[in-house]
Amino acid sequence: MSEPKQLLRPLSRREVRWIYRWEMKKAFPAAELKPLWSILSMMAAGEYDALGLFRGEELLGYALLRRGASFVLLDYLAACQGKEGRGTGSAILTELKERYAHTAGILAEAEAVEEGVSQEENELRQRRLSFYARNGFADLGYEADIFTVRYAILGWSAQGTPERSAAMEAHRALYRLRILEPLYRRYVHIPV
């Protein structure tokens, strides 16, 4: 009997709660995690896509994305524990590029390589940046400080590399949709 085909499908609220508690809290630093209530609220408002890559009933990885007027922002992408290094992330990105080909593009935030960080941490960050590059994402030439985390911004579009100023404006707009203006001015700097 052949192995079940991999399928990227929407996640239920219950599945997102489980992933948040048992996967995301281990995969992402606390400073990078939105509160669960915020994710569920955006899902309920139809502004947020939570997708899981499944093989049969087995969850391999997940992607959570914020939809804007033109671009989508890849908020979280990870392989599930024990499934890392098997091409799960690349498989998800391939599916996302097909799913969002009609948009202006997909924006991704990856922790930037920076001074004052250990060499080991910067090597890990560089591997993440290289992962996106291998999967067709281009460095858009700007960094952002978002809630005290410095990110390099990458983008992909079916029409080629997204234009920097359009991507930057869309990036700002995606954060302005849900954040009160005083918090936005204090904690969201796009570009740095």
Side-chain angles (χ1 to χ4, degrees), residues 19-107:
I19 288 167
Y20 189 88
R21 290 184 180 113
W22 301 107
E23 294 290 340
M24 292 175 70
K25 284 189 172 185
K26 292 180 173 93
F28 297 95
E32 293 183 24
L33 278 178
K34 286 179 173 55
L36 178 58
W37 65 263
S38 177
I39 291 170
L40 295 173
S41 171
M42 289 187 289
M43 285 176 65
E47 304 166 354
Y48 207 76
D49 294 336
L51 305 166
L53 183 67
F54 288 84
R55 183 173 40 239
E57 294 300 312
E58 179 186 20
L59 177 65
L60 304 175
Y62 54 89
L64 281 71
L65 303 100
R66 179 72 194 267
R67 281 184 282 117
S70 55
F71 283 85
V72 293
L73 174 65
L74 180 56
D75 238 356
Y76 302 100
L77 170 70
C80 290
Q81 296 172 66
K83 312 266 188 298
E84 304 93 337
R86 299 179 188 174
T88 301
S90 294
I92 292 172
L93 287 179
T94 297
E95 294 285 332
L96 293 178
K97 289 190 269 186
E98 186 175 314
R99 181 177 289 254
Y100 296 106
H102 67 282
T103 69
I106 302 170
L107 301 176

Side-chain angles (χ1 to χ4, degrees), residues 120 122-132 134:
E120 181 181 18
N122 270 334
E123 288 172 0
L124 177 61
R125 292 175 182 195
Q126 187 57 57
R127 282 197 305 273
R128 288 181 188 135
L129 293 168
S130 296
F131 161 78
Y132 281 107
R134 283 192 311 276

Side-chain angles (χ1 to χ4, degrees), residues 158-176:
Q159 294 78 39
T161 301
E163 198 272 317
R164 179 182 175 198
S165 62
M168 198 180 311
E169 188 52 43
H171 196 187
R172 286 187 202 108
L174 282 160
Y175 275 94
R176 275 204 162 98

Side-chain angles (χ1 to χ4, degrees), residues 97-151:
K97 289 190 269 186
E98 186 175 314
R99 181 177 289 254
Y100 296 106
H102 67 282
T103 69
I106 302 170
L107 301 176
E109 301 165 337
E111 283 183 293
V113 173
E114 57 185 328
E115 291 181 25
V117 175
S118 73
Q119 180 179 346
E120 181 181 18
E121 177 62 23
N122 270 334
E123 288 172 0
L124 177 61
R125 292 175 182 195
Q126 187 57 57
R127 282 197 305 273
R128 288 181 188 135
L129 293 168
S130 296
F131 161 78
Y132 281 107
R134 283 192 311 276
N135 283 283
F137 281 70
D139 182 339
L140 295 182
Y142 73 95
E143 293 183 351
D145 270 335
I146 302 170
F147 288 94
T148 72
V149 179
R150 174 75 53 101
Y151 295 102

